[in-house]
Amino acid sequence: MTTNCMSNYSYGPNCFDELPAILAGYGFTKVVFIGGKRALASSQTEVKQVLSQANVEVTASLVYGVESTQANIDRLVATEEVAAADVIFGFGGGKALDTAKMVAMELAKPIFTFPTICSNCSAGTAVAVIYHDDGSFDRYGFPPVPLHVFINTQVIANAPAKYFWAGIGDGISKAPEVAHCVAHAKETGMELPHTATLGAAIAASSKGAFYQYGPQGIADVKNNLASRAVEEVALDIVVSTGYASNLVNQKEFYFNSCHAHAFYNATTAIKREGEYLHGQIVSFGVLVLHTYYQEDEELQRVLAFNHRLGLPVTLAQLGLSQADIPKLVEVAMTTNEYKHLPFEPDQFAAAIKRADELGQALS
């Protein structure tokens, strides 16, 4: 028997108003807030006001840390105020929400998520990225999906635009990565079950909105405008790619990511100066993926799109150089992505080099 769960979701600038009715439906009366410092500051006052009108107690508001590490998860699991809550409210971006989801899993508690930035799909997924204390990639965790996601488009529009920008960079990877994982499975003789077919269809459906609404959405976030473009991109990042991730990530198969995320995970092993967001790095990984498969039309499309939005088109824009390619390939071959869809190391290295050279020609 298989059960697939998907997060319910509310969206719009007034979506927090839905909280009393949704909490009452579950019978929850005590909640605990876990999130990033800035994320909590952006939303907790408004959420607390709504909860106070519904006589819902907030046991504590806790900053998760700065990385989604096992140490931070353990610390929160051992916190009395977390244990006392009926449900966890997770606020923030990927690392904060992944930490909160893992805490919820370890305590067997439900979780509602409040994405305060749209940098990736973590708010609605049954996967969490865990890092070592030094910031390098450790492993994936697989918590249950959040019960409900509250996508407040005004909060997202008020956040720094770089996170929305990075979310688009991450989002454009979903359709091609899932498509190549599925194609590989078919080539090996697998007959796709319904769950995989549905997940692949949703992944494919997510592609267009990023190209159609992405540039306008970034401009609107820079002006703190909760526009149609912001809403469409936010729903694409959190719901479409989130639902796809949940469906194509099963015990029987894993079609969620391949070359672009293998590239990202490999970069975490190379120390360098500067801030490089997950989706920012993944967007260059999409160039690597299309180069690897010699998909020149899509490669040129993504290259032009990244260049237009200021997403990276060269290794230098990620604090890397071609001298790092051997290390990137070495680490990429240890990733979950490589395990499920092996690639030729020399060809992967050549793809990174060619993508970089194409980007240099634009710069």
Side-chain angles (χ1 to χ4, degrees):
M1 182 180 71
T2 299
T3 299
N4 282 318
C5 297
M6 296 293 182
S7 302
N8 294 325
Y9 61 97
S10 301
Y11 63 95
N14 300 311
C15 69
F16 294 161
D17 293 343
E18 300 294 316
L19 273 164
I22 292 169
L23 285 166
Y26 289 108
F28 299 147
T29 61
K30 291 183 178 182
V31 308
V32 63
F33 293 0
I34 295 175
K37 184 177 180 180
R38 287 177 296 181
L40 289 166
S42 75
S43 302
Q44 68 174 342
T45 298
E46 185 178 353
V47 172
K48 283 181 176 179
Q49 288 173 347
V50 173
L51 296 180
S52 66
Q53 297 167 10
N55 296 316
V56 174
E57 177 187 351
V58 180
T59 63
S61 179
L62 306 170
V63 175
Y64 82 101
V66 293
E67 292 281 359
S68 54
T69 63
Q70 191 61 48
N72 283 331
I73 294 165
D74 292 342
R75 173 177 54 81
L76 290 162
V77 166
T79 302
E80 183 178 342
E81 293 87 348
V82 178
D86 299 322
V87 58
I88 292 171
F89 279 16
F91 294 84
K95 292 179 179 180
L97 296 180
D98 283 354
T99 301
K101 289 188 298 184
M102 293 299 291
V103 171
M105 182 185 75
E106 294 202 13
L107 291 174
K109 289 184 181 292
I111 182 170
F112 289 177
T113 56
F114 297 75
T116 56
I117 57 176
C118 259
S119 57
N120 55 57
C121 62
S122 61
T125 62
V127 63
V129 184
I130 312 301
Y131 296 90
H132 294 294
D133 291 339
D134 65 2
S136 63
F137 175 76
D138 179 4
R139 70 187 192 281
Y140 289 118
F142 298 100
V145 296
L147 288 182
H148 206 105
V149 184
F150 292 86
I151 308 165
N152 189 310
T153 49
Q154 188 59 62
V155 169
I156 289 164
N158 289 342
K162 65 181 180 179
Y163 298 115
F164 193 84
W165 167 79
I168 292 170
D170 189 42
I172 62 172
S173 73
K174 184 59 62 180
E177 285 197 296
V178 171
H180 279 290
C181 289
V182 166
H184 174 72
K186 289 181 176 179
E187 289 168 2
T188 60
M190 179 179 180
E191 184 175 345
L192 291 187
H194 175 271
T195 299
T197 301
L198 178 60
I202 294 175
S205 78
S206 73
K207 183 176 179 178
F210 294 115
Y211 295 98
Q212 180 178 354
Y213 294 106
Q216 185 61 52
I218 291 172
D220 291 341
V221 169
K222 289 180 178 178
N223 290 307
N224 306 128
L225 178 63
S227 66
R228 167 73 185 278
V230 171
E231 180 177 287
E232 290 292 333
V233 173
L235 290 173
D236 218 28
I237 291 171
V238 178
V239 180
S240 297
T241 65
Y243 275 22
S245 293
N246 292 335
L247 288 165
V248 299
N249 181 7
Q250 302 286 325
K251 291 181 180 178
E252 298 81 13
F253 54 84
Y254 179 89
F255 302 149
N256 193 36
S257 57
C258 55
H259 298 59
H261 277 79
F263 175 81
Y264 163 77
N265 287 329
T267 67
T268 69
I270 298 177
K271 296 299 180 185
R272 55 208 192 277
E273 297 296 323
E275 179 188 34
Y276 303 102
L277 300 172
H278 172 91
Q280 177 184 4
I281 301 171
V282 170
S283 70
F284 185 85
V286 178
L287 296 175
V288 174
L289 180 151
H290 289 308
T291 303
Y292 183 93
Y293 286 107
Q294 300 179 12
E295 296 166 340
D296 289 339
E297 184 176 343
E298 278 301 293
L299 172 61
Q300 291 301 323
R301 181 188 190 189
V302 178
L303 191 66
F305 183 73
N306 282 11
H307 187 60
R308 177 185 177 189
L309 267 62
L311 288 164
V313 295
T314 68
L315 290 171
Q317 290 171 318
L318 296 173
L320 300 167
S321 73
Q322 292 190 9
D324 295 309
I325 292 176
K327 180 66 173 180
L328 290 170
V329 175
E330 176 189 347
V331 178
M333 292 175 65
T334 69
T335 62
N336 192 54
E337 286 75 20
Y338 178 82
K339 171 186 173 184
H340 289 282
L341 201 170
F343 46 79
E344 292 296 329
D346 290 344
Q347 189 175 337
F348 191 66
I352 297 172
K353 183 174 184 289
R354 179 167 183 249
D356 180 52
E357 290 171 345
L358 289 171
Q360 289 181 39
L362 281 179
S363 301

